[in-house]
Amino acid sequence: MLWLGFYFPQLPLDVFAAEGEAVPLAVTRRDGGRDVIDRCNSLAREGGICAGMPLPGALALLPGLQVRQRDRNRERQAMEALAGWAWQYSSRISFDPLLMLLEAGASLKLFGGFSALLEQMRRDQPCMDCLRHWALAPSPMAASLLARARPGACIHDRGRLVEQLADIPLQNLTRNSRMRELMRGIGLSSIGDCLGLPRPELARRAGPELISLLDRLLGRTPDPRPLWRPPEVFSQRLLLLSEISHASALLFPARRLVASLCGFLRGRGGAVQHLQWRFLHRDAEPTRMEQGLLRPSREAEHILELFRQSLERLELPGAVVEMELQVADWQALQEEAGDLFPCGQGARDEKFLERLRARLGNEAVRGIQVQADHRPERAWRYCKPMETTEAGGRISAWHARQPVWLLPRPQLLSLRHGRPWHEGELQLREFSQRMESGWWDGNDVQRDYYRASNPAGRQLWIYRERRSGNWFLQGFFD
């Protein structure tokens, strides 16, 4: 096995700093009954803030410092979000404090080697800086330790593992203060010092706990770890460091949520057609936005483009402080074989319709589908654009002779000198068809259809009701 470890030293900051380092920010922790600085971003460091500084002193030194209490629950949620994204690369994922471990050995052949795998992960993750601290090693403990102490270490075999670990301080191996004190008392300061002693002598002096740690570190004994399993539904929230008042500015933080969603879908072999967005405000009810696609997809750029179009008609009642993305009805992706010489017109039409729906709303853009009924007013229905179903009828020769532009309901025509009239006397050009239909549902009709023209040359589709003798206008030809 080969384990790939990613260490996230700035995660306590990143769960708050969703928009980058726009303001000086620090995260605090409780230490000895007082609040001290745990981590701070670069702007805060430029202002003289450093880890371990008491909070009152930091605020006195930099009054504009933004302060957040460390939130381990949000850190756990952020780690699980990263794991959901990484699920597409490995199905064996485990956690250490601020660290994610992936069993990558089984994925190397699929992605064309470790370098190609790492490059693909960096391209797919919008927050590339979070993947800077990584290490590859034959054991999960070694990958965890090297990611913290020696980022960039790439060890494929156990033979090179000892030389890479030798000069790492022993205190990085364990947090057991008693063991650290014992090792310091017998003059051991690094992992190499422990490995250089005879094993029986080391076991007699340090006890079996240190021997067990070293064996797991070098991969000599199993290191069983609980494996993370992704949830059945996708739901992720993102706290914004700065309030966002303009809808268009929501596109940047949305990239992180969409990247996590697409990673989740690739890992599950799925795709999504309906997304639910929620934008939370301080003094108003959350704003909800539905995002729909004509076909299931898991392409991040395509989903983000439609999201951007939807933002143009979104009205916010107040500034957004937090945003959430939920997908409860993802489905298995049906891969389709492409044409040998594709023209691409259908795909372009589909994407155009999706952008149009995102900008104008789903109800503003609809398709029309033929139904198996001879009555023109009942021979069609509204449907989703490009929707196909076996229940719909096929276009017959009779339908093909009908005009595209039909009135919502037939319009009664006046008679002058016994001739139908519409902006002038109508001239009957040709007889279309006699229709007797609808007796089974109580809306039976008996009509004679004609193509007619008025003095201006406009082509009309009219019919005579055989029972009453009245004339009606049904539609217009181009």
Side-chain angles (χ1 to χ4, degrees):
M1 288 187 177
L2 285 175
W3 289 85
L4 175 60
F6 287 105
Y7 178 45
F8 309 104
Q10 298 300 311
L11 185 65
L13 275 172
D14 292 339
V15 295
F16 298 107
E19 294 182 86
E21 301 189 344
V23 296
L25 173 69
V27 174
T28 63
R29 70 174 190 276
R30 296 292 292 177
D31 185 14
R34 63 176 183 171
D35 289 328
V36 299
I37 302 299
D38 185 79
R39 286 170 173 81
C40 58
N41 64 5
S42 60
L43 290 179
R45 289 193 294 271
E46 291 173 4
I49 309 301
C50 61
M53 179 181 292
L55 178 58
L59 291 175
L61 183 62
L62 189 60
L65 180 67
Q66 296 285 323
V67 179
R68 300 287 188 274
Q69 183 72 30
R70 185 167 179 180
D71 192 335
R72 297 187 185 276
N73 184 49
R74 284 192 178 276
E75 293 174 22
R76 178 186 58 80
Q77 293 175 359
M79 289 292 290
E80 290 186 351
L82 284 166
W85 165 80
W87 183 257
Q88 60 186 306
Y89 302 104
S90 175
S91 60
R92 296 174 59 86
I93 298 177
S94 183
F95 299 116
D96 271 353
L98 301 182
L99 197 141
M100 178 175 66
L101 292 164
L102 291 77
E103 200 291 297
S107 303
L108 297 186
K109 185 175 181 180
L110 174 64
F111 289 93
F114 175 68
S115 298
L117 170 63
L118 187 62
E119 181 62 27
Q120 180 68 37
M121 296 180 76
R122 286 174 169 169
R123 283 199 304 267
D124 290 345
Q125 176 53 248
C127 184
M128 291 179 55
D129 287 345
C130 71
L131 302 183
R132 287 184 301 172
H133 300 267
W134 62 268
L136 184 73
S139 72
M141 183 177 288
S144 175
L145 181 61
L146 289 169
R148 288 186 174 94
R150 186 159 294 163
C154 185
I155 305 171
H156 288 79
D157 58 87
R158 296 179 184 176
R160 294 184 52 236
L161 192 56
V162 173
E163 63 182 69
Q164 291 290 330
L165 297 171
D167 58 348
I168 295 179
L170 196 60
Q171 63 181 8
N172 293 352
L173 180 62
T174 177
R175 296 186 177 186
N176 188 323
S177 57
R178 183 191 61 81
M179 184 177 296
R180 287 182 178 182
E181 190 65 29
L182 176 62
M183 294 300 96
R184 193 179 301 111
I186 60 178
L188 301 178
S189 61
S190 67
I191 294 176
D193 293 339
C194 295
L195 296 177
L197 291 178
R199 184 182 178 90
E201 184 65 20
L202 181 63
R204 184 181 67 82
R205 293 190 179 188
E209 184 178 351
L210 179 61
I211 296 297
S212 176
L213 281 175
L214 293 174
D215 285 344
R216 288 159 53 197
L217 179 67
L218 298 177
R220 295 170 179 169
T221 60
D223 187 6
R225 292 169 177 262
L227 297 179
W228 177 81
R229 304 297 299 179
E232 290 299 321
V233 298
F234 180 88
S235 179
Q236 191 174 136
R237 300 177 71 166
L238 186 64
L239 179 67
L240 306 179
L241 177 61
S242 302
E243 297 181 355
I244 294 180
S245 301
H246 300 286
S248 59
L250 294 170
L251 181 63
F252 181 80
R255 288 185 176 275
R256 183 179 297 187
L257 295 177
V258 172
S260 296
L261 169 64
C262 293
F264 169 88
L265 293 171
R266 290 192 183 98
R268 304 301 293 264
V272 65
Q273 195 167 2
H274 303 284
L275 298 85
Q276 295 83 39
W277 293 88
R278 280 207 320 156
F279 308 104
L280 285 74
H281 317 280
R282 291 192 184 278
D283 303 316
E285 291 296 317
T287 301
R288 300 177 182 272
M289 187 180 78
E290 301 285 333
Q291 182 180 346
L293 289 75
L294 293 180
R295 295 185 185 275
S297 174
R298 61 187 184 196
E299 298 301 324
E301 290 304 320
H302 179 54
I303 294 174
L304 282 169
E305 173 60 23
L306 298 181
F307 177 76
R308 185 185 68 80
Q309 299 281 353
S310 300
L311 290 179
E312 295 184 6
R313 58 185 177 87
L314 181 66
E315 295 183 3
L316 298 174
V320 178
V321 298
E322 191 170 6
M323 59 192 301
E324 180 181 20
L325 174 59
Q326 291 183 341
V327 172
D329 57 349
W330 63 272
Q331 53 194 285
L333 179 65
Q334 300 294 329
E335 298 286 356
E336 297 182 358
D339 296 333
L340 181 60
F341 302 104
C343 63
Q345 183 62 40
R348 288 196 296 270
D349 291 344
E350 186 175 291
K351 290 182 177 180
F352 170 75
L353 288 172
E354 285 182 325
R355 291 196 300 269
L356 202 60
R357 294 179 77 203
R359 175 170 293 186
L360 302 179
N362 292 343
E363 294 302 318
V365 183
R366 294 184 289 180
I368 295 176
Q369 190 175 77
V370 175
Q371 296 193 122
D373 198 314
H374 285 287
R375 291 167 291 183
E377 61 270 22
R378 296 174 179 267
W380 63 274
R381 69 176 181 88
Y382 286 119
C383 65
K384 295 179 180 179
M386 305 186 73
E387 176 185 341
T388 58
T389 174
E390 295 297 328
R394 295 184 178 181
I395 297 177
S396 63
W398 160 242
H399 290 124
R401 291 197 300 269
Q402 297 179 8
V404 176
W405 183 4
L406 297 180
L407 299 179
R409 58 179 57 86
Q411 176 183 334
L412 179 65
L413 297 175
S414 61
L415 294 177
R416 298 186 184 182
H417 309 294
R419 306 283 295 181
W421 188 278
H422 181 79
E423 298 177 355
E425 183 179 327
L426 298 182
Q427 300 293 324
L428 303 184
R429 295 299 182 188
E430 63 178 81
F431 174 77
S432 295
Q433 185 175 4
R434 172 166 288 182
M435 179 186 300
E436 294 186 7
S437 181
W439 54 266
W440 56 87
D441 60 9
N443 294 299
D444 59 312
V445 298
Q446 296 181 16
R447 303 169 179 171
D448 287 338
Y449 277 90
Y450 295 86
R451 182 166 183 160
S453 61
N454 65 6
R458 195 170 190 186
Q459 302 296 304
L460 297 81
W461 199 45
I462 64 175
Y463 68 84
R464 179 178 175 273
E465 178 61 51
R466 295 176 58 210
R467 289 195 184 96
S468 64
N470 292 329
W471 290 85
F472 292 86
L473 173 63
Q474 183 94 49
F476 298 92
F477 290 95
D478 293 338

